[in-house]
Coordinates of all heavy atoms in Angstrom, one line a residue:
M1385 N 60.2 95.6 111.7 CA 61.4 96.5 111.8 C 62.4 96.1 110.7 O 62.4 95.0 110.3 CB 62.1 96.3 113.2 CG 61.4 97.0 114.3 SD 62.3 97.3 115.7 CE 62.8 95.7 116.3
K1386 N 63.2 97.1 110.3 CA 64.1 96.9 109.2 C 65.4 97.7 109.6 O 65.3 98.7 110.3 CB 63.5 97.4 107.9 CG 64.4 97.3 106.7 CD 63.8 98.0 105.5 CE 64.8 98.1 104.5 NZ 64.4 98.9 103.4
I1387 N 66.5 97.4 109.0 CA 67.7 98.2 109.1 C 67.7 99.2 107.9 O 67.5 98.9 106.8 CB 69.0 97.3 109.0 CG1 69.0 96.2 110.1 CG2 70.2 98.1 109.0 CD1 69.1 96.8 111.5
C1388 N 67.9 100.4 108.3 CA 68.0 101.5 107.3 C 69.3 101.3 106.4 O 70.4 101.1 106.9 CB 68.1 102.9 108.0 SG 68.3 104.3 106.9
S1389 N 69.1 101.3 105.1 CA 70.2 101.0 104.2 C 71.2 102.1 104.1 O 72.3 102.0 103.6 CB 69.6 100.7 102.8 OG 69.0 101.8 102.2
I1390 N 70.8 103.3 104.6 CA 71.7 104.5 104.5 C 72.6 104.6 105.8 O 73.8 104.7 105.7 CB 70.9 105.7 104.3 CG1 70.1 105.6 102.9 CG2 71.8 107.0 104.2 CD1 69.1 106.6 102.7
C1391 N 71.9 104.6 107.0 CA 72.7 104.8 108.2 C 72.9 103.5 109.0 O 73.7 103.5 109.9 CB 71.9 105.8 109.1 SG 70.4 105.1 109.8
H1392 N 72.3 102.4 108.5 CA 72.5 101.1 109.1 C 72.0 101.0 110.5 O 72.6 100.2 111.3 CB 73.9 100.6 108.9 CG 74.4 100.7 107.5 ND1 73.9 99.8 106.5 CD2 75.3 101.5 106.9 CE1 74.5 100.1 105.4 NE2 75.3 101.2 105.6
K1393 N 71.0 101.8 110.9 CA 70.4 101.7 112.2 C 69.0 101.1 112.1 O 68.4 101.1 111.0 CB 70.3 103.1 112.9 CG 71.7 103.6 113.2 CD 71.6 105.0 113.8 CE 73.0 105.6 114.1 NZ 72.9 106.9 114.7
I1394 N 68.5 100.7 113.2 CA 67.1 100.1 113.1 C 66.1 101.1 112.8 O 66.1 102.2 113.4 CB 66.8 99.4 114.5 CG1 67.8 98.2 114.7 CG2 65.4 98.9 114.5 CD1 67.7 97.6 116.1
S1395 N 65.2 100.7 111.9 CA 64.1 101.6 111.5 C 62.8 100.9 112.0 O 62.6 99.7 111.8 CB 64.0 101.8 110.0 OG 62.9 102.5 109.6
A1396 N 61.9 101.7 112.6 CA 60.6 101.1 113.1 C 59.7 100.8 111.9 O 58.8 99.9 112.1 CB 60.0 102.1 114.0
T1397 N 59.9 101.4 110.8 CA 59.0 101.2 109.6 C 59.7 100.2 108.7 O 60.9 99.8 109.0 CB 58.7 102.4 108.9 OG1 60.0 103.0 108.4 CG2 58.1 103.5 109.7
N1398 N 59.1 99.7 107.7 CA 59.8 98.8 106.8 C 60.4 99.6 105.6 O 60.5 99.2 104.5 CB 58.7 97.9 106.2 CG 58.4 96.8 107.2 OD1 59.1 96.5 108.1 ND2 57.1 96.3 107.1
D1399 N 60.9 100.8 105.9 CA 61.6 101.6 105.0 C 62.7 102.4 105.6 O 62.9 102.3 106.8 CB 60.5 102.6 104.4 CG 60.9 103.2 103.1 OD1 61.9 102.7 102.5 OD2 60.2 104.1 102.6
D1400 N 63.6 103.0 104.8 CA 64.7 103.8 105.3 C 64.1 105.1 106.0 O 63.0 105.5 105.8 CB 65.6 104.3 104.2 CG 66.3 103.1 103.5 OD1 66.5 102.1 104.2 OD2 66.6 103.2 102.3
H1401 N 64.9 105.6 107.0 CA 64.5 106.8 107.7 C 64.3 108.0 106.7 O 65.0 108.1 105.7 CB 65.5 107.3 108.7 CG 65.8 106.2 109.7 ND1 67.0 105.7 109.9 CD2 65.0 105.7 110.7 CE1 67.0 104.8 110.9 NE2 65.8 104.8 111.3
L1402 N 63.3 108.8 106.9 CA 63.0 109.9 106.0 C 64.2 110.9 106.0 O 64.6 111.4 105.0 CB 61.7 110.7 106.4 CG 60.4 109.9 106.2 CD1 59.3 110.7 106.8 CD2 60.2 109.5 104.8
D1403 N 64.8 111.2 107.2 CA 65.9 112.1 107.2 C 67.1 111.6 106.5 O 67.9 112.3 105.9 CB 66.2 112.6 108.6 CG 66.5 111.4 109.5 OD1 66.0 110.3 109.3 OD2 67.3 111.6 110.5
C1404 N 67.3 110.3 106.5 CA 68.4 109.7 105.8 C 68.2 109.8 104.3 O 69.1 110.1 103.6 CB 68.5 108.2 106.2 SG 69.1 107.9 107.9
K1405 N 67.0 109.6 103.9 CA 66.6 109.7 102.4 C 66.9 111.1 102.0 O 67.5 111.4 100.9 CB 65.2 109.3 102.2 CG 64.9 107.9 102.3 CD 63.4 107.7 102.0 CE 62.9 106.3 102.1 NZ 61.5 106.2 101.8
E1406 N 66.5 112.1 102.8 CA 66.6 113.5 102.4 C 68.1 113.9 102.4 O 68.5 114.6 101.5 CB 65.9 114.4 103.4 CG 65.9 115.8 103.1 CD 65.1 116.2 101.8 OE1 64.3 115.3 101.3 OE2 65.3 117.3 101.3
K1407 N 68.9 113.4 103.3 CA 70.3 113.7 103.4 C 71.0 113.1 102.1 O 71.8 113.8 101.5 CB 70.9 113.1 104.7 CG 72.4 113.4 104.8 CD 72.9 112.8 106.1 CE 74.4 113.0 106.2 NZ 75.0 112.4 107.4
R1408 N 70.6 111.9 101.8 CA 71.2 111.3 100.6 C 70.8 112.0 99.3 O 71.7 112.2 98.4 CB 70.8 109.8 100.5 CG 71.3 109.1 99.4 CD 72.8 108.9 99.5 NE 73.3 108.2 98.4 CZ 74.5 108.4 97.8 NH1 75.3 109.3 98.4 NH2 74.9 107.7 96.8
R1409 N 69.6 112.5 99.2 CA 69.1 113.2 98.1 C 69.9 114.5 97.9 O 70.4 114.9 96.8 CB 67.7 113.6 98.2 CG 67.1 114.3 96.9 CD 65.7 114.7 97.1 NE 65.6 115.7 98.2 CZ 65.8 117.0 98.1 NH1 66.3 117.5 96.9 NH2 65.7 117.9 99.1
I1410 N 70.2 115.2 99.0 CA 70.9 116.5 99.0 C 72.4 116.2 98.6 O 72.9 117.0 97.8 CB 70.8 117.2 100.4 CG1 69.4 117.7 100.6 CG2 71.8 118.3 100.5 CD1 69.1 118.1 102.0
E1411 N 73.0 115.1 99.1 CA 74.3 114.8 98.7 C 74.4 114.5 97.2 O 75.4 115.0 96.6 CB 74.8 113.6 99.5 CG 75.1 113.9 101.0 CD 75.4 112.6 101.8 OE1 75.2 111.5 101.3 OE2 75.7 112.8 103.0
L1412 N 73.5 113.8 96.7 CA 73.5 113.5 95.3 C 73.3 114.8 94.4 O 74.0 114.9 93.4 CB 72.4 112.5 94.9 CG 72.6 111.1 95.4 CD1 71.4 110.2 95.2 CD2 73.9 110.5 94.8
E1413 N 72.5 115.7 94.9 CA 72.3 116.9 94.1 C 73.6 117.8 94.2 O 73.9 118.4 93.1 CB 71.2 117.7 94.8 CG 69.8 117.3 94.4 CD 68.7 118.1 95.0 OE1 69.0 119.1 95.7 OE2 67.5 117.8 94.8
A1414 N 74.3 117.8 95.3 CA 75.5 118.5 95.4 C 76.6 117.9 94.5 O 77.3 118.7 93.8 CB 76.0 118.6 96.8
E1415 N 76.6 116.6 94.4 CA 77.6 116.0 93.5 C 77.3 116.3 92.1 O 78.2 116.5 91.3 CB 77.6 114.5 93.8 CG 78.8 113.8 93.4 CD 78.9 112.4 94.0 OE1 78.9 112.3 95.3 OE2 78.9 111.4 93.2
D1416 N 76.0 116.2 91.7 CA 75.6 116.5 90.3 C 75.9 118.0 90.0 O 76.4 118.3 88.9 CB 74.1 116.3 90.1 CG 73.7 114.9 90.1 OD1 74.6 114.0 89.9 OD2 72.5 114.6 90.3
L1417 N 75.7 118.9 90.9 CA 76.0 120.3 90.7 C 77.5 120.4 90.5 O 78.0 121.2 89.6 CB 75.6 121.1 91.9 CG 76.0 122.6 91.9 CD1 75.2 123.3 90.7 CD2 75.6 123.3 93.1
K1418 N 78.3 119.8 91.3 CA 79.8 119.8 91.1 C 80.2 119.4 89.7 O 81.0 120.0 89.1 CB 80.5 119.0 92.2 CG 82.0 119.1 92.1 CD 82.6 118.2 93.2 CE 84.1 118.2 93.0 NZ 84.7 117.3 94.0
E1419 N 79.6 118.2 89.3 CA 80.0 117.7 88.0 C 79.5 118.7 86.8 O 80.3 118.9 85.9 CB 79.3 116.3 87.8 CG 79.9 115.3 88.6 CD 79.2 113.9 88.5 OE1 78.4 113.8 87.6 OE2 79.5 113.1 89.4
T1420 N 78.3 119.2 86.9 CA 77.9 120.1 85.9 C 78.7 121.4 85.8 O 79.0 121.9 84.8 CB 76.4 120.4 86.0 OG1 76.1 121.0 87.3 CG2 75.5 119.2 85.8
L1421 N 79.1 121.9 87.0 CA 80.0 123.1 87.0 C 81.3 122.8 86.3 O 81.8 123.6 85.6 CB 80.2 123.6 88.5 CG 79.1 124.3 89.1 CD1 79.4 124.6 90.6 CD2 78.8 125.6 88.4
N1422 N 81.9 121.7 86.6 CA 83.2 121.3 86.0 C 83.0 121.2 84.5 O 83.8 121.6 83.7 CB 83.7 120.0 86.5 CG 84.3 120.2 87.9 OD1 84.8 121.2 88.2 ND2 84.3 119.1 88.7
E1423 N 81.9 120.6 84.0 CA 81.6 120.5 82.6 C 81.4 121.8 82.0 O 82.0 122.1 80.9 CB 80.4 119.6 82.3 CG 80.5 118.2 82.7 CD 79.2 117.4 82.6 OE1 78.2 117.9 82.2 OE2 79.3 116.2 82.9
K1424 N 80.7 122.7 82.6 CA 80.5 124.0 82.1 C 81.8 124.8 82.0 O 82.0 125.6 81.0 CB 79.4 124.8 82.9 CG 78.0 124.3 82.8 CD 77.1 125.0 83.6 CE 75.7 124.5 83.5 NZ 74.7 125.2 84.4
L1425 N 82.6 124.7 83.0 CA 83.9 125.4 82.9 C 84.7 124.9 81.8 O 85.4 125.7 81.1 CB 84.7 125.2 84.2 CG 84.1 125.9 85.5 CD1 84.9 125.5 86.7 CD2 84.2 127.4 85.3
T1426 N 84.7 123.6 81.5 CA 85.5 123.0 80.5 C 85.0 123.5 79.1 O 85.7 123.8 78.2 CB 85.4 121.5 80.5 OG1 85.9 121.1 81.8 CG2 86.3 120.8 79.5
I1427 N 83.6 123.5 79.0 CA 83.0 123.8 77.7 C 83.2 125.3 77.4 O 83.5 125.7 76.3 CB 81.5 123.5 77.7 CG1 81.3 122.0 77.7 CG2 80.8 124.2 76.6 CD1 79.9 121.6 78.0
S1428 N 83.1 126.2 78.5 CA 83.2 127.6 78.2 C 84.6 128.0 77.9 O 84.8 129.1 77.3 CB 82.8 128.4 79.5 OG 83.7 128.1 80.6
G1429 N 85.6 127.2 78.1 CA 87.0 127.5 77.8 C 87.6 128.6 78.6 O 88.4 129.5 78.1
L1430 N 87.2 128.7 79.9 CA 87.8 129.7 80.8 C 89.3 129.5 80.9 O 89.8 128.4 80.6 CB 87.1 129.6 82.2 CG 85.7 130.1 82.3 CD1 85.2 129.9 83.7 CD2 85.6 131.6 81.9
D1431 N 89.9 130.5 81.3 CA 91.4 130.5 81.6 C 91.7 129.3 82.5 O 91.0 129.1 83.5 CB 91.8 131.8 82.2 CG 93.3 131.8 82.4 OD1 94.1 131.3 81.6 OD2 93.7 132.5 83.4
G1432 N 92.7 128.6 82.2 CA 93.1 127.4 83.0 C 93.3 127.7 84.5 O 92.9 126.9 85.4
D1433 N 93.9 128.9 84.8 CA 94.1 129.2 86.2 C 92.8 129.4 87.0 O 92.7 128.9 88.1 CB 95.0 130.5 86.3 CG 96.4 130.3 85.8 OD1 96.9 129.1 85.8 OD2 97.0 131.3 85.3
L1434 N 91.9 130.1 86.4 CA 90.6 130.3 87.0 C 89.9 129.0 87.2 O 89.3 128.7 88.2 CB 89.8 131.3 86.2 CG 88.4 131.6 86.7 CD1 88.5 132.2 88.1 CD2 87.6 132.5 85.8
Q1435 N 90.0 128.1 86.2 CA 89.3 126.8 86.3 C 89.9 126.0 87.5 O 89.2 125.4 88.2 CB 89.5 126.1 85.0 CG 88.7 124.8 84.9 CD 88.8 124.2 83.5 OE1 89.4 124.7 82.6 NE2 88.1 123.0 83.4
K1436 N 91.2 126.0 87.6 CA 91.9 125.3 88.7 C 91.4 125.8 90.1 O 91.2 125.1 91.0 CB 93.4 125.4 88.6 CG 93.9 124.6 87.4 CD 95.4 124.8 87.3 CE 96.0 124.1 86.1 NZ 97.4 124.4 85.9
E1437 N 91.3 127.2 90.2 CA 90.9 127.8 91.4 C 89.5 127.4 91.8 O 89.2 127.1 93.0 CB 91.0 129.3 91.3 CG 92.5 129.8 91.3 CD 92.5 131.3 91.1 OE1 91.5 132.0 91.2 OE2 93.6 131.8 90.8
I1438 N 88.6 127.4 90.8 CA 87.2 127.0 91.1 C 87.1 125.6 91.5 O 86.4 125.2 92.4 CB 86.3 127.4 89.9 CG1 86.3 128.9 89.7 CG2 84.9 126.8 90.1 CD1 85.5 129.4 88.5
K1439 N 87.8 124.7 90.8 CA 87.9 123.3 91.1 C 88.4 123.1 92.6 O 87.8 122.2 93.3 CB 88.7 122.5 90.1 CG 88.0 122.2 88.8 CD 88.9 121.4 87.9 CE 88.2 121.1 86.6 NZ 89.0 120.3 85.7
S1440 N 89.4 123.8 92.9 CA 90.0 123.6 94.3 C 89.0 124.1 95.3 O 88.9 123.5 96.4 CB 91.3 124.3 94.4 OG 91.1 125.7 94.3
I1441 N 88.2 125.1 95.0 CA 87.2 125.6 96.0 C 86.1 124.5 96.1 O 85.7 124.2 97.2 CB 86.6 126.9 95.5 CG1 87.7 128.1 95.7 CG2 85.4 127.3 96.3 CD1 87.3 129.4 95.0
L1442 N 85.7 124.0 95.0 CA 84.6 122.9 95.1 C 85.1 121.7 95.8 O 84.4 121.1 96.6 CB 84.2 122.5 93.6 CG 83.4 123.6 92.9 CD1 83.3 123.1 91.4 CD2 82.1 123.8 93.5
D1443 N 86.4 121.3 95.6 CA 86.9 120.2 96.3 C 87.0 120.4 97.8 O 86.7 119.6 98.6 CB 88.3 119.8 95.8 CG 88.3 119.2 94.4 OD1 87.3 118.7 94.0 OD2 89.4 119.3 93.7
H1444 N 87.4 121.7 98.2 CA 87.5 122.0 99.6 C 86.1 122.0 100.2 O 85.9 121.5 101.3 CB 88.0 123.4 99.7 CG 88.1 123.9 101.1 ND1 89.0 123.4 102.0 CD2 87.4 124.9 101.7 CE1 88.8 124.1 103.2 NE2 87.8 124.9 103.0
M1445 N 85.1 122.5 99.5 CA 83.7 122.5 100.0 C 83.2 121.0 100.2 O 82.5 120.7 101.2 CB 82.8 123.2 99.1 CG 83.0 124.7 99.1 SD 82.1 125.6 97.8 CE 80.4 125.2 98.2
M1446 N 83.5 120.1 99.3 CA 83.1 118.7 99.4 C 83.8 118.1 100.6 O 83.2 117.3 101.3 CB 83.4 118.0 98.1 CG 82.5 118.4 97.0 SD 80.8 118.3 97.3 CE 80.6 116.6 97.3
K1447 N 85.1 118.4 100.8 CA 85.9 117.8 102.0 C 85.2 118.3 103.3 O 85.1 117.5 104.2 CB 87.3 118.2 101.9 CG 88.1 117.5 100.8 CD 89.5 117.9 100.8 CE 90.3 117.3 99.6 NZ 91.6 117.8 99.5
E1448 N 84.9 119.6 103.4 CA 84.2 120.1 104.6 C 82.9 119.3 104.9 O 82.6 119.0 106.0 CB 84.0 121.6 104.5 CG 85.2 122.4 104.7 CD 84.8 123.9 104.6 OE1 83.7 124.2 104.5 OE2 85.8 124.7 104.8
K1449 N 82.2 119.1 103.8 CA 80.9 118.4 103.9 C 81.0 117.0 104.4 O 80.3 116.5 105.2 CB 80.2 118.5 102.6 CG 78.8 117.9 102.6 CD 78.2 118.1 101.2 CE 77.0 117.2 101.0 NZ 76.5 117.2 99.7
K1450 N 82.1 116.3 103.9 CA 82.3 114.9 104.3 C 82.9 114.7 105.7 O 82.8 113.7 106.3 CB 83.2 114.2 103.3 CG 82.5 114.1 101.9 CD 83.4 113.4 100.9 CE 82.8 113.3 99.6 NZ 83.7 112.7 98.6
S1451 N 83.6 115.7 106.2 CA 84.2 115.6 107.5 C 83.2 115.5 108.6 O 82.2 116.1 108.6 CB 85.2 116.8 107.8 OG 84.4 118.0 107.9
P1452 N 83.4 114.6 109.6 CA 82.4 114.4 110.7 C 82.4 115.6 111.5 O 83.4 116.3 111.8 CB 83.0 113.2 111.4 CG 84.4 113.1 111.1 CD 84.6 113.7 109.7
S1453 N 81.2 115.9 112.0 CA 81.0 117.1 112.8 C 80.9 116.7 114.3 O 80.4 115.8 114.6 CB 79.7 117.8 112.4 OG 79.7 118.2 111.1

């Protein structure tokens, strides 16, 4: 038995839980997507107001995702 490095609960295998690995992978992909969107907005030179609105929407989505259900 081992402690899962992601959720810190006991794992019957000598590895992290599969669902914990998948959840972490999805979180990392979402974070990468957010960063690439911000870079693309900066590179494209969109109007500053539109850029701020999109960033605030992305921040709001990330806050909802992080809040406990």
Side-chain angles (χ1 to χ4, degrees):
M1385 285 198 300
K1386 176 188 169 188
I1387 301 292
C1388 177
S1389 65
I1390 300 168
C1391 71
H1392 306 292
K1393 294 181 181 178
I1394 296 174
S1395 173
T1397 63
N1398 287 332
D1399 203 7
D1400 295 333
H1401 300 118
L1402 292 177
D1403 58 330
C1404 292
K1405 287 181 185 179
E1406 185 67 14
K1407 181 179 176 183
R1408 181 67 181 144
R1409 183 188 63 80
I1410 291 170
E1411 289 172 351
L1412 290 174
E1413 283 180 1
E1415 205 166 296
D1416 289 342
L1417 177 64
K1418 181 180 175 185
E1419 289 175 15
T1420 57
L1421 282 176
N1422 285 333
E1423 290 173 6
K1424 287 179 182 178
L1425 288 173
T1426 303
I1427 292 171
S1428 68
L1430 288 176
D1431 183 33
D1433 293 335
L1434 179 61
Q1435 188 173 359
K1436 289 177 187 176
E1437 290 175 12
I1438 293 173
K1439 283 184 180 181
S1440 66
I1441 290 170
L1442 290 172
D1443 289 338
H1444 178 71
M1445 290 171 59
M1446 292 303 290
K1447 286 178 186 176
E1448 283 183 0
K1449 183 176 162 187
K1450 290 180 182 178
S1451 66
S1453 301

